Amino acid sequence: MDENAPGLSSPLTVLKGVGPALAKTLSRLDLHRVGDLLFLLPLRYEDRTTLHRIGSVKPGMRCLVSGEVLLAETVYRGRRSLLVRISDGSGQMTLRFFYFSRQQEAQFTNGVSVSCFGDVRPGPVGLEMVHPEYRVLRKDQQPVVTDALTPVYPMTEGVQQGRLRNLVAQALTIMKKAPPAELLPAEVLNELDLPTLSAALQYLHSPPPDTDLASIETGRHPCQMRLSFEELLAHYMSLRHLRNLANQEGAQPLEAGSALQRRFIDSLPYTLTGAQNRVIAEIGADLQEPHPMMRLIQGDVGSGKTVVAAAACAQAVAGGVQAAVMAPTELLAEQHWSSFCGWFKDLGIELAWLSGSQKKSQRQTSLEAISSGQANIVIGTHALFQEGVEFSNLALVVIDEQHRFGVHQRVALRDKGASGKVHPHQLVMTATPIPRTLAMAAYADLDTSIIDELPPGRQPVTTIALPDTRRAEVIGRVRDACSDGQQAYWVCPLIDESEVLDYQAAEASYQMLTESLASLRVGMVHGRMKNSARDKVMRAFKCGEIDVLVATTVIEVGVDVPNASLMIIENSERMGLSQLHQLRGRVGRGAEQSHCVMLYKQPLGQLAKSRLGVLRETNDGFVVAQRDLELRGPGELLGTKQTGLPDYRIANLVRDADLMPAVQKAAEVIHLSHAKSEYHIVSRWLGHAHHYGKV
Ligand code: ADP
Ligand code: MG
């Protein structure tokens, strides 16, 4: 083979027609090498493999026809248009142009042959094509019929469709001579019945005429699955690699079942649930290891994760080291602070508080207690890991509501807490349950514990859906409940993620409720407020100085106001299942029977109807998460912000989550017996810079 022949890793400039300028444009689309073109998959395909007879085409078809021009005229009826009537002997058709040049007008002389590709639709006189792609044929020239379907690539600014097709075709020719390395072992491909990488790429860029396009449209054609599979595998392996690296790092082993931990558990005003005890034991076993724990606690809202975290902290303190508990907002941090103070003050454990808004002198006192080792447990916000914070011997980091963090932040935090070769143990908690298959993809670098049991005596929240024409009734109910000493949340929708509109919606409801509930104290929080102002209102609601809290969906995940027993959600038809479940989880925390009212705008679409139905049927976050995954059609992406999931090029986790068990299995096979491929698979999909999550 010619050593100097262009290959898939050659720069794009080896292709005909690619100069420095085009190469630069393409690089902005993240296309740098010949092989990169092959991973840019077509959005759809056009069928120019058959020349259709005009007499046999039907409206709605998108197809290739040809014919002789019978008549061409420019008309001014309503809008200036060029009409060209053609015939192929079997029937006639009109080509209609609204934008055309003089040159085009002159092209269509009677008797000239043209071939056209476009959408067939009914017109005033028979069938027509509006602005078809067309070609004027020379005498005796036949229309071009292709052997394969024509790919249509995603719109790419500055590069025309035809040009892109041409470049990909050149890349395919190069691939035929020098195919990409097949990185999946034959046993994996065989078991899953998937094609090789080069066969899949060849097929998807140039599918044969008999291709089942409907199957490609679902994104689940075996050739697409072949690519999605490898991409999911690459991400999975990079996370597993992080996990394996942690196993090589050192950590302070902490003995489980200390007297201190037992005293803490015995002093609680309730007994722990079976699930809480099980998870405390799982954490206990991890902490005894000389390698850092990397564990995730998944538990539904209200399942009692905080006390489990506190038990882990007690184990650290008993081992003579420090623990840090970090919450995403001041309010949540404060909530933990007051719980921890209640639990630990009498046990002789020293706590320190650290937050961004703290006074300088207080901060100084905290910093000293932290660096001297006098403070056993430190609680706070991100401020915990800022410059200038020096721990004396930090051995456990607890991160609450971790779904706001991605893997990179997890890694950064661990590294910040490290001293020399010793890393802290890491415990992350999330209140957004996700189905098992998704968790495999999102949290492959973590071991998972699940708290799947609520504390006893909780009354399930009753949930109803009402059209918003019955808003007045609902307001009446809020008035009655709040006059009785209860509290209510009134949540307004997030509109297009726009904070301005968001704010206007909340503002309008706030006005409306202050007027109609004149005897009550109404407060408001929204996304445009400063954190400090927002926390102030939340605090007032928490201690009962506000009866009705109007909020956009910014209201904090994890806020615990047991006296609030009513949750009203406006425009619930616009919200996702998980989000609605999270909102509902803000009530049902106290002794009172709680209610959730989902107001919706009529008419209710089928999907929204199913969503609200799920919430009426179940209070279980894991069931909600699973149904959420099922109800989202393929193509509808999970918010990556919510889950910390990466963006994929080809795979779609909602659509392809079912591949995860096989991905996991293949990763093991490769790790054990094809270790070298691991590096290459990750590099192919994540690039060298992103290698193994270290950015
Ligand atoms: P989440 O898992 O949503 O973070 P929390 O830790 O805030 O839940 O706990 C919710 C409420 O349940 C708190 O008021 C807490 O004191 C209470 N709780 C936790 N565990 C138990 C238990 N075993 N029995 C009774 N109440 C409990
Ligand atoms: Mg919590």
Side-chain angles (χ1 to χ4, degrees):
M1 216 165 73
D2 181 358
E3 290 280 306
N4 296 320
L8 295 181
S9 54
S10 304
L12 287 171
T13 43
V14 302
L15 300 177
K16 280 193 206 78
V18 183
L22 182 56
K24 202 168 165 200
T25 309
L26 292 168
S27 81
R28 259 183 271 141
L29 306 168
D30 221 13
L31 302 169
H32 310 282
R33 292 158 191 282
V34 173
D36 295 341
L37 282 168
L38 298 177
F39 289 88
L40 180 73
L41 293 191
L43 281 181
R44 54 187 178 82
Y45 302 89
E46 290 174 346
D47 188 349
R48 299 161 204 245
T49 61
T50 317
L51 181 64
H52 289 266
R53 294 173 63 76
I54 295 178
S56 68
V57 304
K58 303 213 159 43
M61 282 171 75
R62 184 169 172 78
C63 59
L64 182 70
V65 297
S66 81
E68 203 170 282
V69 175
L70 298 180
L71 172 76
E73 56 176 351
T74 304
V75 299
Y76 294 86
R77 249 167 272 129
R79 194 167 165 194
R80 179 170 169 264
S81 15
L82 171 62
L83 302 180
V84 182
R85 192 124 190 99
I86 61 169
S87 160
D88 66 354
S90 73
Q92 297 188 3
M93 179 182 276
T94 304
L95 315 181
R96 184 183 291 273
F97 300 89
F98 298 114
Y99 308 97
F100 50 94
S101 63
R102 238 162 235 250
Q103 239 175 334
Q104 279 173 302
E105 254 179 312
Q107 265 178 339
F108 296 109
T109 51
N110 289 3
V112 144
S113 287
V114 290
S115 69
C116 338
F117 181 84
D119 293 314
V120 180
R121 63 170 215 189
V125 272
L127 297 178
E128 60 180 38
M129 276 187 187
V130 177
H131 279 278
E133 289 171 38
Y134 72 92
R135 188 182 289 209
V136 176
L137 302 174
R138 273 177 276 114
K139 256 222 156 352
D140 302 324
Q141 190 188 2
Q142 292 303 310
V144 179
V145 178
T146 56
D147 300 335
L149 300 178
T150 310
V152 179
Y153 293 98
M155 281 303 283
T156 43
E157 220 167 298
V159 193
Q160 273 169 355
Q161 197 57 241
R163 170 59 63 88
L164 210 48
R165 273 181 204 146
N166 172 285
L167 298 181
V168 174
Q170 292 186 56
L172 286 174
T173 308
I174 292 174
M175 179 177 83
K176 270 202 190 123
K177 290 195 194 124
E182 179 53 60
L183 298 173
L184 298 188
E187 68 244 51
V188 172
L189 288 181
N190 289 342
E191 185 172 340
L192 297 166
D193 210 6
L194 291 174
T196 61
L197 178 66
S198 42
L201 290 172
Q202 174 69 40
Y203 192 98
L204 291 173
H205 287 288
S206 179
D210 63 353
T211 297
D212 178 4
L213 282 182
S215 154
I216 292 200
E217 257 162 42
T218 63
R220 299 281 287 180
H221 187 280
C223 289
Q224 291 163 313
M225 296 228 282
R226 167 65 180 77
L227 298 176
S228 301
F229 185 86
E230 193 177 307
E231 183 173 32
L232 291 172
L233 182 66
H235 283 270
Y236 181 82
M237 291 196 308
S238 103
L239 288 177
R240 286 312 295 171
H241 183 73
L242 276 181
R243 184 73 193 81
N244 294 337
L245 283 183
N247 278 344
Q248 291 160 25
E249 287 160 357
Q252 175 78 38
L254 301 165
E255 206 170 317
S258 64
L260 181 67
Q261 194 188 48
R262 228 165 307 127
R263 262 172 44 223
F264 160 66
I265 292 173
D266 290 344
S267 71
L268 292 169
Y270 41 74
T271 36
L272 295 175
T273 62
Q276 285 172 320
N277 278 318
R278 173 171 45 76
V279 173
I280 289 174
E282 284 166 1
I283 295 168
D286 277 3
L287 293 178
Q288 296 200 52
E289 297 294 321
H291 307 293
M293 166 174 78
M294 291 175 74
R295 187 168 283 278
L296 170 78
I297 307 181
Q298 276 205 71
D300 208 348
V301 280
S303 60
K305 292 182 287 291
T306 322
V307 71
V308 170
C313 292
Q315 187 170 343
V317 176
V321 293
Q322 290 175 306
V325 179
M326 183 176 86
T329 65
E330 295 246 332
L331 188 76
L332 283 179
E334 262 176 39
Q335 197 169 282
H336 289 329
W337 170 253
S338 72
S339 304
F340 275 61
C341 285
W343 288 328
F344 287 128
K345 278 272 154 79
D346 291 344
L347 297 176
I349 294 176
E350 287 292 326
L351 303 176
W353 167 254
L354 211 56
S355 89
S357 65
Q358 184 170 32
K359 279 207 197 92
K360 235 185 172 163
S361 59
Q362 285 172 336
R363 181 180 159 82
Q364 206 45 48
T365 314
S366 288
L367 287 178
E368 275 158 26
I370 296 167
S371 63
S372 70
Q374 188 202 339
N376 305 115
I377 303 176
V378 189
I379 296 171
T381 56
H382 287 81
L384 281 180
F385 291 96
Q386 270 155 9
E387 255 348 86
V389 185
E390 297 228 355
F391 289 88
S392 149
N393 50 5
L394 179 67
L396 170 65
V397 176
V398 177
I399 308 169
D400 193 11
E401 306 301 353
Q402 89 93 35
H403 63 276
R404 295 170 184 218
F405 297 118
V407 59
H408 301 307
Q409 283 142 311
R410 287 204 290 271
V411 172
L413 264 183
R414 250 164 25 91
D415 289 349
K416 269 190 194 152
S419 64
K421 284 203 154 47
V422 180
H423 284 68
H425 296 284
Q426 200 176 70
L427 182 66
V428 289
M429 306 195 282
T430 168
T432 311
I434 60 176
R436 194 180 63 94
T437 46
L438 282 192
M440 278 179 175
Y443 303 127
D445 60 325
L446 303 173
D447 299 313
T448 307
S449 291
I450 295 180
I451 306 185
D452 50 5
E453 188 183 347
L454 291 181
R458 290 274 168 84
Q459 303 186 55
V461 179
T462 56
T463 306
I464 56 168
L466 290 179
D468 58 10
T469 46
R470 293 175 64 185
R471 189 183 280 114
E473 264 172 68
V474 177
I475 294 175
R477 242 174 108 171
V478 169
R479 188 184 297 114
D480 292 347
C482 293
S483 311
D484 234 20
Q486 295 175 41
Q487 288 169 284
Y489 293 96
W490 191 288
V491 177
C492 305
L494 190 70
I495 303 166
D496 294 332
E497 312 231 339
S498 145
E499 283 182 357
V500 180
L501 293 176
D502 193 20
Y503 165 73
Q504 286 168 353
E507 180 74 16
S509 297
Y510 177 70
Q511 292 296 346
M512 185 264 297
L513 289 171
T514 5
E515 279 161 32
S516 40
L517 297 172
S519 57
L520 299 177
R521 296 158 299 178
V522 183
M524 169 164 73
V525 288
H526 57 77
R528 288 219 295 181
M529 270 167 125
K530 279 215 179 97
N531 287 348
S532 55
R534 190 158 86 207
D535 285 353
K536 200 170 154 200
V537 178
M538 288 303 302
R539 228 168 270 137
F541 185 61
K542 222 176 153 161
C543 59
E545 290 161 12
I546 289 175
D547 304 302
V548 181
L549 183 67
V550 178
T552 56
T553 42
V554 300
I555 67 163
E556 306 299 343
V557 201
V559 169
D560 193 29
V561 184
N563 191 50
S565 62
L566 265 179
M567 166 63 66
I568 319 296
I569 308 173
E570 292 249 28
N571 289 100
S572 58
E573 78 280 359
R574 291 212 202 137
M575 294 187 198
L577 261 181
S578 300
Q579 191 177 23
L580 289 167
H581 179 70
Q582 272 296 330
L583 288 171
R584 176 172 62 179
R586 302 299 108 220
V587 296
R589 299 175 156 245
E592 285 293 333
Q593 170 66 50
S594 292
H595 303 276
C596 173
V597 182
M598 303 181 291
L599 289 174
Y600 61 84
K601 224 179 217 75
Q602 284 168 311
L604 199 53
Q606 198 48 51
L607 189 62
K609 200 180 247 166
S610 316
R611 268 196 221 123
L612 300 187
V614 171
L615 289 168
R616 285 212 313 268
E617 280 157 28
T618 182
N619 271 290
D620 181 330
F622 287 91
V623 176
V624 170
Q626 184 59 43
R627 296 284 289 131
D628 193 15
L629 186 61
E630 291 159 9
L631 281 177
R632 288 165 193 261
E636 219 185 318
L637 279 164
L638 268 192
T640 47
K641 277 193 208 92
Q642 278 291 306
T643 53
L645 287 168
D647 288 326
Y648 297 96
R649 275 198 264 171
I650 292 172
N652 170 340
L653 255 194
V654 174
R655 185 186 67 203
D656 302 322
D658 61 327
L659 296 177
M660 284 313 297
V663 164
Q664 190 176 43
K665 214 169 129 199
E668 265 163 46
V669 170
I670 293 169
H671 188 68
L672 291 176
S673 38
H674 306 270
K676 272 200 193 123
S677 306
E678 208 173 83
Y679 174 87
H680 294 293
I681 293 173
V682 175
S683 310
R684 175 182 281 165
W685 291 92
L686 284 90
H688 298 277
H690 287 263
H691 215 261
Y692 292 138
K694 301 260 178 195
V695 181

